[in-house]
Amino acid sequence: MPQNDLTSVSHASDAASTPRPRKVPRIVVLGGGSVGLYVARRLRKKLKKREAAIVVVDPRPYMTYAPFLPEAAAGSIDARDVVAPHRKALKGIDVLQGKVTTIEHGRKAVKIQPESGDEYEVTYDQLVIGLGSVSRTLPIPGLAEAAIGFKNVEEAIAVRNHVINRLDVASSTWDADLRKRMLTFTFVGGGFAGIEALAEIEDMARYATRQYNTIEASDLRFVMIEGAGRILPEVTEPMGEYALAELKKRGIEFHLNTFLSSCVDGHVVTSTGVEFDTETIVWTAGVKANPVIKESSDLPADKMGRAIVLPTLQMATEDGEVIEGAWAAGDCAAVPDVHNPGKFCPPNAQHAIREAVRLADNIVALYKDKPAVDYDHKNLGVVASLGLYKGVAELFGFVKLRGFPAWVAHRGYHVMAMPTGNRKIRILIGWIGQFLMGRELVSLGSLHDPRQEFRNASVPPKPQGEKVDQKAESSASRAETGAKD
């Protein structure tokens, strides 16, 4: 980290030693998602390097724009275009790739575990917590072994590859029961993430059946399991009912007021007694705040594990006393909704990005001896995709869109919210390419274990002590030998 020449970083084992004094204050941003990226960029824009050193810590080298994961899974957007590389998006900002293991605000220090090497410690003057959320799972038998999440781009692409691969394999399988199992795709969780993922993947899979002579669109079975009595709780009930009716018209099977009880070896059992076999289970049944805040931090958290913050996005005690030097926003923070007293801002990209801007401006105000301002943003509305050219949207509290207009609103809003101009352009080009040439339907399943073929081809090792004969022979000479034979 170039800026660390002016500050102090030490291995955790050296934490007791006296750190070197810093010439400029350091702002450490935990998390490089929507909150972390926008906070850091805004701070760098407002504060010169001699005014503050900014450090972003995240285990991944990029920010993922989660609203576009369903479209990436369906092949509408290239996977690389839904992420913003930190090294490119965070110019003039130090980036540390590692996992935050401990927050000790009493000493104003965080411990970071890199992918390789020893744990080390970074001290700070101001701390911004934007660690986001993780999948909220339950101790359901078979879930950890059989299911996959839909929280990051790696999972989205894995789901895409898996679904197409099941079509490939099923097209050459004559066992009726096995074929039915392969062509059954199960999604658990009927919120925005689950419905958009289900709708986009189903749309893609039905389209893909055109390429198979032995598979009809009617052979595919898509199942949604949701514990509540409705889907899309983020929209009004009439719009949720419209989305449910439209998805049912496409043959998607819904089990509402139903919970997943077991899925051992892909055998799904629900709380209502429904049983079936599947080789695809996608878990989108909610998220929870990053557990580091509650389990490995001396900062206060609420019962749900979220950071306790004031409307100014400053962290506070349960009694409302400001904790100097600590800020939080996004999915991992309980941000009060000033327009609805007693409630909190929903954990979505719309609020996360705007909270990040306000948080950064409040830190800048602190350095300029100005008062912090409350985060005050009235919800602009919600948009949801239901597959290609289909969607629902509620904007400004009174505009309600369905079908194609809602789908346009969804794409338009999110492409504008995508950070960095080159990503916006790449996404637009991808959409144009898909419109002109159709979806790209290829399963690259080997990406998930590229060494498997090499392992299969490898000769078992000889017993210990036995000499291994090795001869130098080029591939060209082997080719010539084969040609002579």
Side-chain angles (χ1 to χ4, degrees):
M1 292 195 312
Q3 294 180 26
N4 284 331
D5 296 338
L6 306 177
T7 55
S8 63
V9 176
S10 61
H11 290 287
S13 59
D14 300 329
S17 62
T18 303
R20 301 193 309 273
R22 292 194 291 272
K23 294 181 180 179
V24 297
R26 174 189 284 158
I27 303 171
V28 171
V29 181
L30 303 184
S34 295
V35 169
L37 185 137
Y38 278 91
V39 164
R41 284 161 62 98
R42 184 80 169 181
L43 287 172
R44 185 76 294 156
K45 180 180 178 180
K46 297 282 187 175
L47 297 174
K48 297 178 181 179
K49 289 187 178 181
R50 64 174 179 270
E51 294 180 289
I54 304 169
V55 181
V56 174
V57 183
D58 196 277
R60 289 186 172 86
Y62 51 80
M63 169 262 199
T64 302
Y65 190 67
F68 274 150
L69 288 182
E71 292 202 47
S76 298
I77 304 175
D78 188 278
R80 291 171 296 183
D81 295 339
V82 302
V83 299
H86 289 153
R87 308 287 176 183
K88 191 169 186 177
L90 298 174
K91 297 294 185 180
I93 297 168
D94 293 327
V95 178
L96 295 178
Q97 189 173 337
K99 182 180 180 181
V100 177
T101 59
T102 308
I103 301 173
E104 296 184 36
H105 191 66
R107 297 193 307 110
K108 289 198 171 181
V110 294
K111 292 180 180 178
I112 301 167
Q113 178 60 61
E115 186 173 335
S116 300
D118 298 329
E119 184 181 67
Y120 58 89
E121 187 175 272
V122 177
T123 58
Y124 58 83
D125 296 280
Q126 298 288 328
L127 179 70
V128 177
I129 300 179
L131 291 170
S133 58
V134 299
S135 294
R136 176 176 58 82
T137 60
L138 300 171
I140 298 172
L143 182 65
E145 295 77 16
I148 183 172
F150 204 82
K151 192 75 176 59
N152 54 57
V153 69
E154 296 90 346
E155 290 174 329
I157 301 310
V159 170
R160 165 186 166 79
N161 284 335
H162 175 76
V163 169
I164 297 176
N165 177 261
R166 292 302 83 193
L167 294 176
D168 289 337
V169 177
S171 67
S172 301
T173 300
W174 310 115
D175 184 318
D177 291 335
L178 180 58
R179 179 185 169 94
K180 183 178 179 181
R181 178 189 181 104
M182 289 179 178
L183 298 180
T184 299
F185 307 100
T186 307
F187 290 72
V188 184
F192 257 119
I195 292 300
E196 288 193 327
L198 166 67
E200 292 283 356
I201 292 292
E202 184 269 346
D203 213 7
M204 177 199 71
R206 303 274 189 208
Y207 178 89
T209 57
R210 304 176 187 181
Q211 300 183 1
Y212 300 91
N213 294 327
T214 57
I215 299 179
E216 300 291 335
S218 57
D219 294 334
L220 307 185
R221 181 186 182 188
F222 280 84
V223 182
M224 166 59 71
I225 299 173
E226 166 56 41
R230 56 166 296 192
I231 64 170
L232 295 177
E234 299 88 347
V235 302
T236 59
E237 191 165 349
M239 293 298 277
E241 291 177 353
Y242 165 79
L244 179 63
E246 289 299 305
L247 293 171
K248 282 185 174 181
K249 287 179 184 178
R250 290 155 56 175
I252 299 175
E253 182 180 329
F254 284 85
H255 296 274
L256 303 181
N257 294 311
T258 303
F259 298 94
L260 179 65
S261 300
S262 174
C263 56
V264 176
D265 297 327
H267 181 70
V268 170
V269 180
T270 73
S271 59
T272 55
V274 175
E275 297 188 35
F276 58 89
D277 292 321
T278 180
E279 291 191 356
T280 306
I281 301 175
V282 182
W283 180 268
T284 61
V287 295
K288 63 180 180 180
N290 193 304
V292 170
I293 299 170
K294 190 174 183 66
E295 299 172 6
S296 305
S297 168
D298 58 359
L299 290 167
D302 66 7
K303 294 180 180 179
M304 298 177 66
R306 299 173 299 182
I308 299 175
V309 299
L310 300 176
T312 57
L313 303 174
Q314 294 170 288
M315 289 198 65
T317 64
E318 293 182 357
D319 297 328
E321 183 180 348
V322 173
I323 298 175
E324 298 295 338
W327 310 74
D331 294 4
C332 67
V335 180
D337 186 346
V338 297
H339 293 282
N340 297 286
K343 296 185 178 181
F344 301 99
C345 295
N348 57 33
Q350 178 187 155
H351 280 282
I353 293 171
R354 288 166 174 77
E355 288 167 8
V357 172
R358 170 47 54 202
L359 191 157
D361 286 348
N362 280 345
I363 292 179
V364 173
L366 178 70
Y367 281 110
K368 298 184 182 300
D369 295 323
K370 295 181 180 179
V373 178
D374 288 352
Y375 171 68
D376 180 1
H377 172 67
K378 192 173 182 180
N379 197 357
L380 297 177
V382 291
V383 288
S385 170
L386 299 179
L388 194 61
Y389 308 133
K390 300 172 282 286
V392 292
E394 293 181 327
L395 308 174
F396 312 112
F398 63 91
V399 178
K400 300 183 186 300
L401 303 176
R402 301 178 179 183
F404 182 75
W407 174 82
V408 172
H410 173 272
R411 282 199 166 186
Y413 172 79
H414 286 303
V415 76
M416 292 305 297
M418 184 71 194
T420 73
N422 71 339
R423 282 300 185 273
K424 291 180 172 68
I425 294 172
R426 288 175 183 272
I427 290 171
L428 290 172
I429 291 174
W431 284 339
I432 294 171
Q434 181 199 46
F435 177 77
L436 295 176
M437 296 175 285
R439 298 177 188 262
E440 187 61 51
L441 300 170
V442 179
S443 171
L444 299 176
S446 60
L447 286 174
H448 308 298
D449 187 6
R451 294 187 63 250
Q452 180 177 350
E453 187 173 347
F454 182 79
R455 287 197 301 269
N456 294 340
S458 298
V459 177
K462 289 192 174 185
Q464 189 173 4
E466 187 173 338
K467 185 178 180 181
V468 178
D469 293 328
Q470 299 187 61
K471 293 182 180 179
E473 183 181 3
S474 69
S475 58
S477 63
R478 287 198 300 272
E480 292 175 0
T481 303
K484 291 178 182 179
D485 293 341

